[in-house]
Amino acid sequence: MLAMQHYNSSGVFAPFPLPNQTPTVQETEVEAVSSNATGSPNNPTAAGISMTLGILFNVVALIILAKAYSRYRRRSKATFLLLASSLIATDLAGHVIPGALVLRRYSVHTQGSTDDSVSTFRGDPENPDASCLFGGGCMVFFGLCPLFLGCAMAAERCLGVTKPLLHARLVTTARTKMALALIWLLALCVALLPYFSLGAYTYQYPWTWCFIRVVEGTRGTDLAFVMVFSGLALSSLASAFVCNTISGITLVRARLKKKKPCSQRSSAGSHDTEMVVQLVGIMVTSCICWSPLLVFALMSATKSYSGMLDSDRDTFRGLMVTGVRMATCNQILDPWVYILLRRAVLRKIYRITKRRASFKGSTFRSARWDISSFQTSEKSSVNNI
């Protein structure tokens, strides 16, 4: 997904009033704030830069994962790398496809100069076009897949750390690929629910992206759909948290019990620690990036369905835009979590920190030695007098 940009108060992205209707003060203030924060209306530079950086980071992470997969032959490490590669590939596709739709939306608006093109830019909320339906489905699909994959990776590591023999017997490459197919199929089934009259996709403020109908005209089916989407996503985050906590506690206990570990067990333990640290980083990133959108969507749909959103509609529009921008950051940060939390990188950081600490310690000791020697020489001179 791509960060959505807002047009200025020239009336391009603003909700267009009817001929005998004037915009409210609140709407005007929201438009002014958004326009000041985002800059030029016809310049999607920030969106293009975000998309380019996301593609670059994910490609670099995929290259590193491919090299690591060909180097490591341990089954547990190979399974983890396969799941991690699938996560990064999904993030890459989720950044390119919806991002291309958003940039196309920009280009269509920039080329249109007539009043009809401006008035139809928001689209029909009751009958969205095919690109909106596809874009909304991509938002849901590529939103659920990384969370499902993160949960599956955490569960796989939890089983590998707590029950290594059972993990070696149950977890195979073929079964891992089957689990990946089931994860993608489940996310696809949820994304296709509006095609079976459960919920609907519509253009969201500022009319450059599509999502579940949660702000305007929310119906019972829309509320059910957003509850399914947010419920599955939040459940995945909670399950990943539980599994990572169990894995971390198990590794800490094993490290404390080991007195003289052999080199093979030490290597296996370091691999497990590296993978769990990476999973914790992915989980924290996903929680920070996705929780706002999930919570805002639930709150907005509940208030809109109960008819309590009229006075806060502009506020929740802004919250939804903030939520989708934060969710976009997840697909940019996931590759960096894996790249920076690798064992080789952590070792370099540890060595640099240790060198600096030892340098500071030696400097402090030398300073103390100089002071003590000075005090000794001063006392000896006084005695001589």
Side-chain angles (χ1 to χ4, degrees), residues 49-190:
I49 292 175
S50 173
M51 184 174 179
T52 303
L53 291 177
I55 294 173
L56 178 63
F57 296 157
N58 281 281
V59 169
V60 171
L62 279 175
I63 294 174
I64 295 174
L65 282 165
K67 291 182 179 179
Y69 187 80
S70 62
R71 185 168 64 251
Y72 290 103
R73 298 300 180 184
R74 295 180 66 245
R75 177 181 294 179
S76 60
K77 184 69 175 179
T79 302
F80 176 83
L81 292 174
L82 179 59
L83 292 171
S85 301
S86 302
L87 172 64
I88 300 300
T90 304
D91 282 338
L92 177 60
H95 205 74
V96 172
I97 298 175
L101 294 175
V102 173
L103 292 178
R104 177 181 175 274
R105 185 79 172 160
Y106 274 119
S107 63
V108 169
H109 167 71
T110 304
Q111 294 173 1
S113 59
T114 63
D115 294 338
D116 292 337
S117 64
V118 174
S119 62
T120 58
F121 187 70
R122 291 181 59 179
D124 186 0
E126 297 297 330
N127 298 299
D129 54 19
S131 62
C132 180
L133 296 175
F134 181 71
C138 288
M139 284 284 295
V140 173
F141 176 79
F142 290 114
L144 288 176
C145 279
L147 302 180
F148 287 166
L149 288 170
C151 179
M153 293 167 67
E156 185 269 336
R157 275 299 80 214
C158 183
L159 181 62
V161 170
T162 57
K163 304 290 183 180
L165 297 179
L166 181 63
H167 177 274
R169 187 168 68 252
L170 293 181
V171 179
T172 62
T173 303
R175 289 176 178 174
T176 303
K177 293 179 179 179
M178 186 181 299
L180 287 172
L182 291 176
I183 288 173
W184 287 325
L185 180 61
L186 176 59
L188 181 62
C189 290
V190 176

Side-chain angles (χ1 to χ4, degrees), residues 187-201 224-225 228-229 232:
L188 181 62
C189 290
V190 176
L192 292 178
L193 287 179
Y195 294 90
F196 298 96
S197 301
L198 182 61
Y201 297 123
F225 185 25
V228 170
F229 172 72
L232 288 173

Side-chain angles (χ1 to χ4, degrees), residues 265-278:
R265 290 183 179 179
S266 178
S267 176
S270 64
H271 281 297
D272 290 334
T273 303
E274 177 191 21
M275 289 184 283
V276 171
V277 169
Q278 290 172 345

Side-chain angles (χ1 to χ4, degrees), residues 23 26 36 56 70 83 85 111 146-147 174 185 206 230 250-251 267 269 279 338 354 384:
Q26 187 177 8
N36 292 333
L56 178 63
S70 62
L83 292 171
S85 301
Q111 294 173 1
L147 302 180
L185 180 61
S230 298
T250 303
L251 288 175
S267 176
L279 285 175
Y338 177 78
K354 189 176 181 181
N384 292 331

Side-chain angles (χ1 to χ4, degrees), residues 31-46:
E31 293 299 322
V33 172
S34 300
S35 63
N36 292 333
T38 53
S40 178
N42 296 324
N43 185 19
T45 304

